[in-house]
Amino acid sequence: MTTDGSARAFCIDGRDIVNRAIDIHKTAPTATAALGRTLLAASLMGSMMGEKEDVLTLRFKGDGEGGAILACSDYMGNVRGHNENHQSERPLRAVDGKLDVRRCVGKGLLNVLRDTGGKEPYSGVSPIVSGEIAEDIAYYFATSEQVPSICALGVLVDTDYSCKCAGGLIIQLLPFADPSIADKLEENVKKRSAVTTELGEKGLEGLLAGYLEGIEYELFDEFDCGYVCNCSRDRTDRALISLGKKELQSMIDDEQQTFELGCQFCEKKYRYGKADLKKLLESAK
Ligand code: ZN
């Protein structure tokens, strides 16, 4: 937080998160960058929420070959996510030799959903203006929530397809922000190199310091977050029960002896035999 209360900043070193996503989904480099940036954004935005039960969901529904990208975060920035086409791979951009995330994501809509326990969930939407993720997040905040924001995200994929470096930050102007702080931030943004370059060279605090150069600020909180999936046999049971008696009965009558339900976020498989399904049938309506 800037000392004068004009702006707040959140930053993340997310290499482990992205590497976990690669392990699970076996993503090709462009898909890794698209999913990785979305996970980083979701983690940052999730950590802005205040309550234990709060869940933030980001969904990029573009027409690119990578398909829709989904990421969910809790209030501590623990995320999970997946993209429709893990194998999406674009030729490197001719202009700078970088991963072509824009083409992978395509044009469409960005949905933001904040589920805050019992209350009505908050839902916002904005067009995907860039497809590079960070610009889309900044545009979303500016138009849908009227909060002027800076967002920078970076995922550097190594030659062995693992993630070498990943990180990002979101800086938001608070109501009644000093205009000179806004000007200074804008000036600093122009001087920045790629997020992964600065993070790699100067670390997380160094990355933040560059964006906040010449502005007094205080660090409030630092915590660990990761790629965390909260799926369980119990949740899968409930999903099956919610299918209803008729559907469950037809699964029991089916020739297929065992059914396997996979979690889309961690690829964990849950197996159900006939006896399991019969047990669930008793609880179904
Ligand atoms: Zn899972």
Side-chain angles (χ1 to χ4, degrees):
M1 180 85 77
T2 62
T3 308
D4 74 344
S6 285
R8 60 177 189 166
F10 301 81
C11 58
I12 182 171
D13 178 341
R15 188 179 66 171
D16 291 349
I17 288 175
V18 178
N19 270 323
R20 183 81 187 102
I22 296 169
D23 277 350
I24 293 168
H25 300 302
K26 316 286 180 232
T27 41
T30 316
T32 297
L35 174 61
R37 290 181 196 175
T38 308
L39 285 167
L40 295 170
S43 179
L44 289 166
M45 290 168 76
S47 69
M48 294 174 183
M49 299 187 300
E51 303 295 330
K52 231 180 177 159
E53 302 77 31
D54 295 354
V55 177
L56 177 124
T57 304
L58 272 188
R59 185 161 174 266
F60 279 87
K61 182 91 182 72
D63 61 3
E65 68 181 50
I69 312 168
L70 187 71
C72 309
S73 174
D74 68 9
Y75 82 123
M76 289 292 285
N78 292 307
V79 275
R80 55 184 188 151
H82 79 105
N83 40 1
E84 237 166 15
N85 180 8
H86 302 145
Q87 292 311 313
S88 173
E89 191 48 14
R90 304 277 326 164
L92 296 177
R93 294 197 306 219
V95 53
D96 55 8
K98 288 192 170 154
L99 294 170
D100 200 348
V101 175
R102 187 188 301 259
R103 287 264 172 82
C104 176
V105 174
K107 290 270 178 274
L109 292 175
L110 163 60
N111 277 96
V112 177
L113 190 78
R114 282 197 198 87
D115 205 339
T116 50
K119 286 165 268 166
E120 185 82 358
Y122 168 88
S123 154
V125 64
S126 68
I128 298 172
V129 287
S130 135
E132 294 282 344
I133 311 293
E135 289 89 332
D136 302 304
I137 299 291
Y139 186 82
Y140 164 79
F141 274 123
T143 58
S144 191
E145 300 195 12
Q146 284 83 48
V147 182
S149 306
I150 292 163
C151 181
L153 304 165
V155 172
L156 185 63
V157 180
D158 213 341
T159 45
D160 65 359
Y161 285 17
S162 71
C163 174
K164 197 172 184 180
C165 182
L169 57 84
I170 293 177
I171 302 173
Q172 298 194 313
L173 286 182
L174 296 169
F176 313 110
D178 180 346
S180 73
I181 297 282
D183 292 345
K184 188 78 195 139
L185 283 169
E186 217 167 290
E187 200 181 299
N188 289 345
V189 167
K190 288 184 194 138
K191 292 189 281 185
R192 306 274 53 86
S193 308
V195 170
T196 49
T197 307
E198 300 213 351
L199 184 60
E201 284 171 5
K202 300 184 287 188
L204 196 53
E205 284 187 31
L207 170 74
L208 185 63
Y211 280 84
L212 296 177
E213 199 184 290
I215 301 169
E216 255 188 86
Y217 63 96
E218 282 155 59
L219 292 176
F220 276 99
D221 207 359
E222 193 180 333
F223 48 89
D224 288 327
C225 56
Y227 190 108
V228 177
C229 189
N230 56 2
C231 69
S232 65
R233 177 99 188 168
D234 190 46
R235 277 173 190 246
T236 318
D237 283 357
R238 276 182 275 149
L240 282 167
I241 290 167
S242 73
L243 291 175
K245 266 196 162 56
K246 207 175 149 198
E247 187 63 30
L248 280 170
Q249 189 59 55
S250 79
M251 286 170 83
I252 292 165
D253 297 339
D254 198 285
E255 276 175 32
Q256 200 177 325
Q257 288 306 305
T258 54
F259 291 85
E260 215 174 52
L261 268 89
C263 170
Q264 61 180 358
F265 293 108
C266 70
E267 307 281 343
K268 198 168 168 181
K269 302 273 188 275
Y270 296 93
R271 290 168 71 93
Y272 287 85
K274 300 282 184 198
D276 301 317
L277 293 172
K278 278 177 192 158
K279 224 178 275 169
L280 295 180
L281 187 69
E282 290 165 21
S283 317
K285 282 182 192 150

